[in-house]
Amino acid sequence: MSVEVLSDKISLIDRARELMVEKIKSAIAQRDQCTIALAGGGTPKPLYEKLAQESLPWEKIHIFWGDERYVPVDHPDSNQKMVREAWLNQVSMPASNIHPMPTTGENPYTDAAKHEQEIREFFQCSAGEIPSLDIILLGMGDDGHTASLFPRTEALTVRDRLITVGNKGNSQRLTFTAPFINQGRCVIFLVAGANKRPALAQVFSPQGDEKQYPSRLIKPQGELWWLLDQEAGEEIASH
Ligand code: 6PG
């Protein structure tokens, strides 16, 4: 596990850009493609805007989402909408390389199963296998959630699927499960702001409760990076 505490949000975003570009190029060098699952919320948006300025072989990059609010794609809360506007609309990435979570409005469980099938077909993996994405970018809420794995919810217990429904109060969401995230080759947390400090202390504490702080569930077989700004991570620096 690597932990980096950057002096401010601008430095944090630039370090995240640098790390993402490094891992994208490495994946393409090894497998001639890079599969990335993106986080939603507010922290990563400036990162996506910076990545849009990079010169990369976009046709070799496939974009997924680690979670999605169960709203139409044109809804202001849509993570898909945010990423397309901040990044994907600015680059020449083939439409077939973009794999949004379906939010048809029929039923989140049906859409979760549909997306799981789409992912299994993309990775050509059987029902029992868990595919590995090259990069999984995650945020963390001030309650310690990540993706849409919220404290003391059923989504935390799902072990036999890639995608499940994660509810935040009344708002329904689709989310990668912890086992799917943990199969990632390189998992990167991007966390900023003093409001995240208490949850971070619990996530990094030897005694923290993973049901209460679901980011503790993320123990990938591959690389785990925590990129923090000073406000969020000043007490974590020495880990
Ligand atoms: C989402 C995210 C979610 C987010 C955290 C942190 O859909 O909202 O995927 O897990 O990363 O809630 O959000 P901020 O970056 O806005 O603090």
Side-chain angles (χ1 to χ4, degrees):
M1 174 171 78
S2 303
V3 180
E4 295 187 16
V5 179
L6 286 301
S7 55
D8 55 35
K9 180 84 179 287
I10 291 173
S11 311
L12 173 69
I13 293 301
D14 200 55
R15 175 64 181 125
R17 178 201 56 78
E18 182 186 60
L19 183 62
M20 289 278 285
V21 169
E22 175 198 328
K23 297 303 176 185
I24 288 167
K25 290 181 174 176
S26 166
I28 291 171
Q30 293 176 53
R31 288 175 290 278
D32 201 33
Q33 91 172 0
C34 180
T35 53
I36 310 173
L38 298 175
T43 304
K45 186 175 177 185
L47 167 59
Y48 301 148
E49 291 166 344
K50 279 195 174 280
L51 288 169
Q53 306 309 314
E54 292 293 327
S55 172
L56 290 166
W58 301 114
E59 74 285 356
K60 296 186 176 186
I61 297 172
H62 286 263
I63 297 292
F64 299 81
W65 277 257
D67 71 328
E68 182 58 276
R69 292 82 179 277
Y70 199 64
V71 294
V73 66
D74 60 354
H75 189 285
D77 288 350
S78 167
N79 288 335
Q80 179 186 170
K81 179 179 189 293
M82 183 271 283
V83 173
R84 284 184 185 275
E85 289 173 356
W87 177 6
L88 304 184
N89 293 349
Q90 327 304 330
V91 300
S92 55
M93 184 179 290
S96 57
N97 285 30
I98 300 171
H99 311 270
M101 289 185 159
T103 56
T104 61
E106 284 163 47
N107 176 313
Y109 292 90
T110 308
D111 279 337
K114 180 178 163 197
H115 194 48
E116 174 138 352
Q117 188 53 33
E118 289 165 355
I119 289 176
R120 290 192 178 286
E121 282 167 10
F122 177 85
F123 286 98
Q124 298 180 335
C125 67
S126 67
E129 282 180 277
I130 303 179
S132 293
L133 273 82
D134 292 305
I135 301 169
I136 300 178
L137 182 70
L138 297 171
M140 189 193 76
D142 58 12
D143 60 356
H145 83 262
T146 190
S148 285
L149 300 170
F150 290 98
R152 305 206 179 282
T153 57
E154 186 191 343
L156 305 187
T157 63
V158 176
R159 318 295 302 172
D160 60 346
R161 270 165 285 155
L162 306 179
I163 310 294
T164 191
V165 176
N167 294 327
K168 176 184 184 180
N170 295 329
S171 87
Q172 292 184 312
R173 301 195 174 188
L174 302 186
T175 185
F176 277 21
T177 60
F180 187 19
I181 295 171
N182 283 332
Q183 199 61 24
R185 293 190 178 94
C186 178
V187 177
I188 302 171
F189 274 96
L190 182 66
V191 184
N195 64 317
K196 308 293 176 79
R197 202 180 304 168
L200 270 175
Q202 291 294 327
V203 170
F204 279 84
S205 155
Q207 289 82 30
D209 173 0
E210 65 188 25
K211 290 186 178 57
Q212 189 60 45
Y213 298 95
S215 294
R216 291 179 65 89
L217 291 168
I218 308 309
K219 298 181 175 67
Q221 308 207 12
E223 298 177 49
L224 175 58
W225 292 78
W226 286 88
L227 299 184
L228 312 170
D229 74 350
Q230 184 72 24
E231 280 192 5
E234 64 181 353
E235 292 160 19
I236 304 294
S238 57
H239 281 72

